Amino acid sequence: MRYIIIGAGAVGGTVGGRLAEAGQEVVLVARGAHAAALKEGGLRLRVPQGELTQRLPVVGGPRELGVLRADDVLVLAVKTQDSEAALGTWGPAPVEGGGTAAERLPLVCAQNGVESQRLALRRFRQVYGVCVWLPSTHVEPGVVSAAGSPLTGILHLGRHPHGTDDTARRIAADLEKAHFEAPVVEDVARWQYAKLLSNLGNALEAVTGGLVGDPRAEALFARVRAEGAAVLDAAGIAHASPGEQRAVRGDKVTLVPLDGVPRGGGSSWQSLSRGAGTIEADYLNGEIVLLGRLHGVPTPLNELLQRLANESARERKAPGALPVEELVRLADTVSG
């Protein structure tokens, strides 16, 4: 199978780079300065084993590839706010032998949150969800860092809305050869919703600049996460428990300091750091807000973080523009 990585940033670049290292055929989809750097110098993937450079085909869209192959796998790794545009671009792309990508090719959503696979299922017949446990960073054009060891990440994989099949197992087998653990599960959404609760801290980390190691930020995150868990329970949405997640992950993905790579933050922190102008808070904290409104559960803390993250992105503020003590004050005010 050939893997077309739509969005070769932190997650997509790491998955694509590791697959290519393992001998798989990979095409990267990127734009702007990142695409230019990938074409000129290759994908520079910084991992605990050193810096790996992969010179891979780089395109901006399906027209540059011509007719897609029947054995192509589309891996959607853009931020969720960019999913609709990507789906609209790649869905109608023609495939050899007739038909379109939406009709014939598998689409794997390797993203935070749960919304993209729902958007994808409106267009694509074969949609796969992934619970992405993959600490990685992309803030410099052409460069992606992934500090996990001995595994680069753990990627639970399954059909959306549920089930497994041979395609999922083939994709998982390729990932297993590429420094990932890739359990194929019937209920991938259960793992994704558990990851969603963890990702509720992304906005907090982005606007204050940090999370781990600051007792005030950690205490606020515990409140934000508890609000999210209460919403999922009210909605009757199952999610893996923290204990179950720890048992699966163990010490398989331990962060190792990388030479020349400063410590950064998660995906939302990276969006502010790059001055992207958008952020995924609407599909993380905003997912909890939506479910809370549907099921009559107040979500003041997640509403606050959603609003502040979006404001920071629109105004292109750097990570950490809001002192944590000010965020705690605002949180105490809105939550009564």
Side-chain angles (χ1 to χ4, degrees):
M1 295 187 291
R2 180 175 67 170
Y3 290 88
I4 300 176
I5 310 296
I6 304 171
V11 169
T14 301
V15 171
R18 282 303 206 185
L19 283 170
E21 180 196 5
Q24 296 297 322
E25 190 175 358
V26 173
V27 175
L28 303 178
V29 181
R31 60 188 180 184
H34 187 43
L38 291 171
K39 291 177 180 177
E40 181 178 350
L43 171 65
R44 296 166 56 196
L45 177 58
R46 293 171 175 169
V47 293
Q49 295 82 5
E51 182 171 297
L52 311 172
T53 300
Q54 300 284 350
R55 293 192 171 274
L56 303 170
V58 180
V59 301
R63 290 185 179 180
E64 295 173 52
L65 284 175
V67 177
L68 299 182
R69 291 174 10 190
D71 64 349
D72 282 338
V73 175
L74 306 182
V75 180
L76 187 65
V78 298
K79 295 290 194 301
T80 303
Q81 62 268 26
D82 297 320
S83 289
E84 186 61 33
L87 293 167
T89 297
W90 286 88
V95 179
E96 61 183 5
T100 65
E103 292 167 337
R104 294 188 53 198
L105 299 183
L107 179 83
V108 179
C109 297
Q111 301 160 284
N112 286 332
V114 296
E115 181 63 20
S116 277
Q117 57 211 22
R118 296 195 294 231
L119 293 172
L121 203 61
R122 297 174 186 272
R123 300 173 184 265
F124 282 78
R125 292 176 180 173
Q126 301 177 66
V127 176
Y128 299 80
V130 179
C131 175
V132 179
W133 184 255
L134 171 54
S136 54
T137 304
H138 165 55
V139 293
E140 178 185 349
V143 181
V144 173
S145 302
S149 179
L151 294 177
T152 300
I154 299 176
L155 307 172
H156 285 76
L157 172 70
R159 288 286 300 243
H160 178 74
H162 50 73
T164 63
D165 60 16
D166 287 341
T167 298
R169 286 184 282 272
R170 290 178 63 199
I171 294 169
D174 287 344
L175 291 170
E176 296 270 359
K177 299 172 187 174
H179 294 270
F180 296 101
E181 184 172 292
V184 178
V185 295
E186 294 272 354
D187 55 350
V188 67
R190 183 169 165 273
W191 292 93
Q192 290 176 305
Y193 277 104
K195 177 72 177 346
L196 173 65
L197 293 179
S198 298
N199 287 143
L200 298 181
N202 287 22
L204 193 161
E205 178 187 54
V207 299
T208 65
L211 176 55
V212 178
D214 187 324
R216 300 164 301 176
E218 290 178 348
L220 179 55
F221 171 59
R223 293 165 58 191
V224 173
R225 190 188 187 285
E227 187 178 273
V231 166
L232 294 188
D233 289 344
I237 295 174
H239 50 94
S241 70
E244 186 177 0
Q245 295 176 77
R246 286 193 297 269
V248 168
R249 291 170 184 157
D251 57 0
K252 298 173 185 175
V253 185
T254 301
L255 298 189
V256 175
L258 301 178
D259 292 340
V261 180
R263 185 181 174 212
S267 56
S268 296
W269 183 96
Q270 294 170 46
S271 292
L272 293 188
S273 182
R274 294 195 306 272
T278 64
I279 201 164
E280 60 190 335
D282 285 345
Y283 304 99
L284 300 178
N285 306 91
E287 180 71 22
I288 295 301
V289 172
L290 170 62
L291 289 171
R293 291 170 179 166
L294 289 172
H295 297 278
V297 180
T299 58
L301 297 178
N302 279 281
E303 287 184 42
L304 174 67
L305 287 176
Q306 180 186 7
R307 175 175 62 80
L308 292 174
N310 280 321
E311 287 176 359
S312 295
R314 282 196 305 271
E315 297 171 13
R316 287 181 163 76
K317 294 180 179 178
L322 182 68
V324 66
E325 57 269 20
E326 175 62 13
L327 178 57
V328 172
R329 186 191 68 79
L330 291 172
D332 289 342
T333 299
V334 299
S335 62

